[in-house]
């Protein structure tokens, strides 16, 4: 068995080497929102670049200098002629003043790229190095969604290597401290490393059938490593306990696989079901992470149940060799299977369950309060480090240009059926009304530019591009960026304003609002599916009706506390020293809270299963509910604490990432597992079980 495992590990390591290059780089929006339909209509109807790639060209001479104009027009034609570029526009080819900086020293070249979202990212990766730096009289830098996502993928690859180099030694230190023996740490560490290699191979195989996000590598390897080490921990602990009870080595291996193995199996099913809820959400990014996560969790369980018994058979006689804590335990008269500290906690909670349980609920409720004012938006260049080209260039554009591409709404106006293009008079009236809305700086149309209900500029040669085959384009510049409450209100006001025909509203702010709304519609269905499936699984595991309900309620309460923590740090910008540097945006990326919730919920139920398995075992043998609860806490407290610390280190390593979204996920999951392993598993769950008494174990029929 060990030879087969070693061979598979070697094959997986070879296959995993090329997995990153095959992963996708898109899928962060639902795909069929009004904003996305507007972008598709723009591509079909108008000779206007959508702005997948934005190049900032700086020069020492004014942009209107004849030599600069000639060089700028030539550079724009060069960009437009590259493979993968549909069209490109600049101030020098359109005369649009929005593409020229306030001081006249810089201009924008806006390019629309061909293909799917991932195709556009790959095109940007190929052409940007050839277009940036010194280009004749210009110094060129790049930003835009396509280039920003490419830089995010490159950053995540660097982060993954750094995290692996840091996590493995820290986990080894935690395990050595928990076990006191380096030999005993070999088992969970071997399973963890096997799970990482297998997880990356699974990502590569999945990429043959679907687009898998590049961020899946960071998230699933951290999750797989933490879970695999956890499963190894529980199996080894049960083996050592069986040896201490007088069983032979072969009997101890069988007992560990029978008892702890059943819990590992149910735990893996629980985490897989929690991740499966992401398949019901509309974002392809989350669907790919769900498939990758389920594959990695399955591999972790298979590795634990298949390889750990073989390792214990070989290493069993040497497992406690060099145990640093054996002499201390012997002098104290303590059993290695129990934690005296957690036994004292269990006894204190059992004596005053209302006081401890109520206090814990109050504390978790206070921690959850900040989540009540959470705001959501789409990821953009600000999620990258300040040193990233796309982030720095976007900041320069925001500071130097009147109109930033990120603050522009694009309205595609089509006439009623069987009508020609909307009349200029109707477009003029509509543009005047739009320009009078709160938060609008100006509106551009084929009839001119409008501000505060008045026309401030006549049509220019660039206005011809605002006429499509049977539609008219209007562009509206907002005061606030995407994701802000003001931008969301503006999108709603624009859509509520009567128009001379049907109108599609696109642009970053509209896409952010549409994505948030689509997620809000899908979340109840996904949450209900997760709760029902988890309830059924817990019902089968515990043979109880009350315990699954209690587990779900307690899990939800503990998770809202971790969601409140990420709002407090990343949205409200408090205690940021905990997570390192990042650029605050005032919003949370829309896909991160559901992803964090599903992973943390699965881990929460995971710890619940390990506790309940020991409590039920004692209750079945002795029939004393309160003694069974104290026994379960004493037997699992140290183990769950070490396990939670391993997962917190594995997931918390994402805090070292330069990408804000991964920082949020790592911080939230680390807080969730630590709170769950201490306050929830150590205080709240025992208090609830002591109060319920024999009702814990009631099942009709």
């Amino acid at each position: 068995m060990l030879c087969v495992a070693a061979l598979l590990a070697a094959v997986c390591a070879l296959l995993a080497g090329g997995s990153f290059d095959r992963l996708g780089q898109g899928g962060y929006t639902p795909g069929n929102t009004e904003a996305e339909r507007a972008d598709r209509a723009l591509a079909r109807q108008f000779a206007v670049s959508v702005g997948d790639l934005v190049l900032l060209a700086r020069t020492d001479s004014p942009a209107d200098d004849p030599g600069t104009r000639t060089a700028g027009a030539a550079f724009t034609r060069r960009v437009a002629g590259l493979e993968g570029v549909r069209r490109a526009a600049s101030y020098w080819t359109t005369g649009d003043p929005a593409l020229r900086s306030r001081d006249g020293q810089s201009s924008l070249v806006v390019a629309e790229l061909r293909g799917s979202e991932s195709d556009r990212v790959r095109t940007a990766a190929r052409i940007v190095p050839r277009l940036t730096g010194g280009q004749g009289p210009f110094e060129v830098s790049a930003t835009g969604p396509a280039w920003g996502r490419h830089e995010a993928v490159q950053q995540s690859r660097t982060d993954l290597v750094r995290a692996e180099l840091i996590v493995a030694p820290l986990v080894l230190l935690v395990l050595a401290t928990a076990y006191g023996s380096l030999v005993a740490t070999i088992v969970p560490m071997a399973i963890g490393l096997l799970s990482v290699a297998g997880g990356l191979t699974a990502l590569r195989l999945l990429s043959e059938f679907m687009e898998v996000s590049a961020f899946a590598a960071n998230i699933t390897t951290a999750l797989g490593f933490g879970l695999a080490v956890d499963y190894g921990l529980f199996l080894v602990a049960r083996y050592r306990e069986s040896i201490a009870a007088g069983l032979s080595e072969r009997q101890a291996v069988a007992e560990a696989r029978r008892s702890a193995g059943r819990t590992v199996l149910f735990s893996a099913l629980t985490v897989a079901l929690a991740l499966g809820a992401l398949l019901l959400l509309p974002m392809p990014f989350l669907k790919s992470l769900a498939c990758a996560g389920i594959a990695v969790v399955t591999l972790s369980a298979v590795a634990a149940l298949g390889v750990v018994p073989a390792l214990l058979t070989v290493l069993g006689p040497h497992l406690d060799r060099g145990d640093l804590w054996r002499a201390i335990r012997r002098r104290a008269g303590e059993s290695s299977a129990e934690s005296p500290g957690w036994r004292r906690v269990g006894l204190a909670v059992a004596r005053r369950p209302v006081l401890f349980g109520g206090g814990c609920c109050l504390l978790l409720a206070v921690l959850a309060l900040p989540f009540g004012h959470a705001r959501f938006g789409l990821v953009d260049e600000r999620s990258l480090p300040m040193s990233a080209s796309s982030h720095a260039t976007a900041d320069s554009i925001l500071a130097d240009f009147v109109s930033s591409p990120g603050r522009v709404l694009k309205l595609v106006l089509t006439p009623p059926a069987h009508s020609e293009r909307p009349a200029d008079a109707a477009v003029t009236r509509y543009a005047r009304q739009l320009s009078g809305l709160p938060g609008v700086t100006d509106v551009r149309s084929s009839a001119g530019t409008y501000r505060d209900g008045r026309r401030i500029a006549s049509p220019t040669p660039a206005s011809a591009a605002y006429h499509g085959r049977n539609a008219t384009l209007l562009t509206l510049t907002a005061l606030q960026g995407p994701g802000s409450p003001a931008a969301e209100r503006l999108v709603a006001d624009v859509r509520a304003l009567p128009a001379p025909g049907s109108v599609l509203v696109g642009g970053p702010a509209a896409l952010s609002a549409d994505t948030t709304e689509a997620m809000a519609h899908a979340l109840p269905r996904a949450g209900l599916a997760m709760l029902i499936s988890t309830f059924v699984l817990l019902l089968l595991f515990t043979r109880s009706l009350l315990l699954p309900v209690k587990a779900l309620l307690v899990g939800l309460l503990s998770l809202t506390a971790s969601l409140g923590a990420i709002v407090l740090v990343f949205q409200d910008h408090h205690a940021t020293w905990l997570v390192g540097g990042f650029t605050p945006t005032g919003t949370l990326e829309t896909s991160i809270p559901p992803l964090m919730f599903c992973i943390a919920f699965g881990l929460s139920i995971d710890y619940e299963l390990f506790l309940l398995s020991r409590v039920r075992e004692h209750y079945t043998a002795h029939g004393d509910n309160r003694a069974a609860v104290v026994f379960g806490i004493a037997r699992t407290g140290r183990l769950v604490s070490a396990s939670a610390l391993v997962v917190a280190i594995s997931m918390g390593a994402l805090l070292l990432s330069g990408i804000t979204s991964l920082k949020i996920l790592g911080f939230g999951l680390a807080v969730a597992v630590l709170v769950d392993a201490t306050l929830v598993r150590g205080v709240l769950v025992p208090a609830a079980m002591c109060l319920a008494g024999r009702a814990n174990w009631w099942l009709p029929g």
Side-chain angles (χ1 to χ4, degrees):
M1 189 67 190
L2 292 179
C3 289
V4 170
L7 180 61
L8 286 175
V11 172
C12 288
L14 289 173
L15 291 175
S19 59
F20 238 109
D21 296 329
R22 304 181 65 86
L23 300 182
Q25 298 153 340
Y28 301 98
T29 56
N32 195 36
T33 61
E34 178 181 331
E36 288 167 299
R37 294 198 302 274
D39 284 344
R40 290 194 288 270
L42 277 169
R44 290 194 308 268
Q45 293 265 8
F46 301 95
V48 176
S49 297
V50 172
D52 299 312
L53 179 64
V54 179
L55 301 171
L56 174 62
R58 300 180 182 86
T59 180
D60 294 332
S61 56
D64 289 318
D65 183 82
T68 304
R69 281 173 108 25
T70 301
F75 179 68
T76 307
R77 288 192 297 270
R78 178 185 159 205
V79 174
L82 292 173
E83 182 183 355
V85 178
R86 187 188 300 275
R87 61 174 68 95
S90 68
Y91 170 70
W92 300 294
T93 59
T94 65
D96 187 349
L99 300 177
R100 183 185 60 183
S101 64
R102 292 185 181 91
D103 62 5
Q105 300 293 113
S106 304
S107 298
L108 300 181
V109 179
V110 183
E112 179 183 345
L113 307 180
R114 299 180 186 274
S116 66
E117 195 170 5
S118 288
D119 291 335
R120 296 196 292 271
V121 173
R122 293 187 182 100
T123 298
R126 176 170 47 80
I127 67 175
V128 165
R130 296 154 56 185
L131 296 174
T132 51
Q135 303 290 328
F138 306 111
E139 186 64 30
V140 181
S141 58
T143 187
W147 180 240
R149 283 178 186 147
H150 168 71
E151 288 199 308
V153 170
Q154 297 303 111
Q155 180 70 44
S156 70
R157 183 180 301 196
T158 304
D159 294 339
L160 180 60
V161 175
R162 182 167 58 232
E164 288 174 344
L165 292 174
I166 292 174
V167 166
L170 285 177
V171 169
L172 187 63
L173 180 62
V174 170
L175 295 178
T177 303
Y179 283 130
S181 166
L182 286 176
V183 177
T185 65
I186 292 175
V187 178
M189 283 296 293
I191 302 305
L193 295 175
L194 181 59
S195 175
V196 169
L200 290 174
T201 303
L203 293 181
R204 180 167 184 171
L205 294 176
L206 280 173
S207 67
E208 298 287 343
F209 306 100
M210 63 185 299
E211 186 174 29
V212 180
S213 168
F215 295 137
N218 301 70
I219 296 168
T220 56
T221 52
L223 177 64
F225 184 77
L227 279 177
V229 170
D230 271 7
Y231 297 157
L233 266 173
F234 289 119
L235 286 162
V236 171
R238 197 56 185 254
Y239 170 83
R240 298 174 87 181
E241 188 177 329
S242 299
I243 290 290
L247 297 182
S248 69
E249 291 172 2
R250 185 176 295 273
Q251 289 172 328
V253 170
E255 174 62 18
R257 185 167 183 176
R258 182 196 65 78
S259 54
R262 177 176 180 267
T263 309
V264 166
L265 179 61
F266 272 88
S267 167
L269 286 171
T270 302
V271 178
L273 285 173
L275 290 171
L278 296 173
L279 294 171
L280 300 176
L281 298 179
M283 297 174 71
F285 164 69
L286 292 177
K287 293 178 188 289
S288 72
L289 277 176
C291 293
I294 291 170
V296 168
V297 170
T298 304
L299 281 169
S300 299
V302 169
L305 295 176
V307 181
V308 168
L311 280 170
L312 290 175
T313 302
V314 174
L315 297 176
H318 316 285
L319 205 61
D320 290 328
R321 182 169 293 177
D323 187 349
L324 303 176
W325 317 123
R326 182 185 297 172
I328 298 174
R329 286 196 301 268
R330 190 172 295 164
R331 283 198 298 270
E334 296 172 2
S335 166
S336 61
E338 275 201 4
S339 166
W342 280 108
R343 171 170 280 280
R344 286 192 289 271
V345 170
L347 288 170
V349 172
R351 283 194 295 268
R352 296 181 178 83
V354 175
L355 175 64
F356 282 98
C360 190
C361 285
L362 182 62
L363 177 59
L364 292 174
V366 170
L367 290 173
L369 284 177
F371 191 64
H373 64 269
R375 296 191 299 272
F376 303 99
L378 290 180
V379 65
D380 58 24
E381 295 85 1
R382 291 173 296 176
S383 69
L384 290 165
M386 291 287 293
S387 57
S389 164
S390 53
H391 189 159
T393 303
D395 286 348
S396 297
I397 293 173
L398 187 62
D400 297 339
F401 287 74
V402 174
S403 174
S404 167
R407 295 186 175 182
V408 174
L409 291 179
K410 297 178 180 179
L411 286 64
V412 179
L413 181 63
T414 55
H418 311 298
S419 299
E420 297 295 331
R421 193 170 57 208
D424 287 345
V427 173
T428 298
R429 285 195 301 273
Y430 186 51
R432 289 183 187 276
Q433 292 172 331
L434 287 170
S435 68
L437 292 175
V440 176
T441 58
D442 61 63
V443 175
R444 299 176 185 274
S445 72
S446 56
T449 304
Y450 297 84
R451 181 178 298 157
D452 297 327
R454 297 178 293 105
R455 189 166 77 169
I456 60 171
S458 301
T460 65
S463 301
Y466 284 70
H467 283 303
R469 290 193 298 273
N470 64 340
T472 296
L473 172 66
L474 298 93
T475 59
L476 182 153
T477 304
L479 281 171
Q480 300 294 327
S484 64
E488 290 182 359
R489 286 194 299 271
L490 178 59
V491 171
D493 290 344
V494 169
R495 288 173 172 167
L497 189 68
S502 62
V503 63
L504 293 174
V505 181
L511 185 58
S512 176
D514 288 352
T515 301
T516 302
E517 184 180 1
M519 289 287 286
H521 282 304
L523 278 173
R525 180 180 57 188
L528 186 62
M530 182 175 67
L531 293 177
I532 291 174
S533 60
T534 305
F535 175 82
V536 172
L537 196 65
L538 288 172
L539 187 66
L540 294 173
F541 182 79
T542 61
R543 310 287 205 282
S544 161
L545 190 63
L546 181 63
L547 288 178
V549 174
K550 182 269 304 172
L552 296 179
L553 292 176
V554 168
L556 292 174
L557 180 60
S558 67
L559 291 183
T560 51
S562 61
L563 290 171
I566 65 172
V567 171
L568 198 66
V569 175
F570 289 94
Q571 179 181 297
D572 298 343
H573 211 223
H574 297 299
T576 54
W577 55 269
L578 289 169
V579 298
F582 67 96
T583 301
T585 62
T587 61
L588 302 176
E589 205 274 306
T590 306
S591 65
I592 294 301
L595 175 61
M596 190 190 94
F597 187 90
C598 289
I599 295 175
F601 185 80
L603 293 173
S604 170
I605 301 299
D606 176 34
Y607 298 141
E608 182 92 3
L609 289 175
F610 286 109
L611 173 60
L612 290 180
S613 65
R614 302 314 302 268
V615 174
R616 187 176 186 276
E617 179 183 313
H618 191 278
Y619 180 80
T620 302
H622 303 285
D624 186 336
N625 179 73
R626 185 162 296 203
V629 171
V630 175
F631 172 85
I633 291 295
R635 287 296 173 109
T636 63
R638 179 192 298 149
L639 199 57
V640 168
S641 300
S643 169
L645 194 55
V646 167
V647 175
I649 290 171
S650 299
M651 303 307 298
L654 295 175
L655 282 170
L656 301 174
S657 174
I659 301 170
T660 305
S661 299
L662 292 180
K663 279 182 178 289
I664 294 174
L665 187 65
F667 176 75
L669 288 173
V671 169
V673 296
L674 292 176
V675 167
D676 195 79
T678 52
L679 286 176
V680 176
R681 267 352 104 201
V683 179
L684 186 55
V685 170
M689 293 188 72
C690 287
L691 287 172
R694 295 179 64 86
N696 283 317
W697 314 104
W698 179 74
L699 183 67

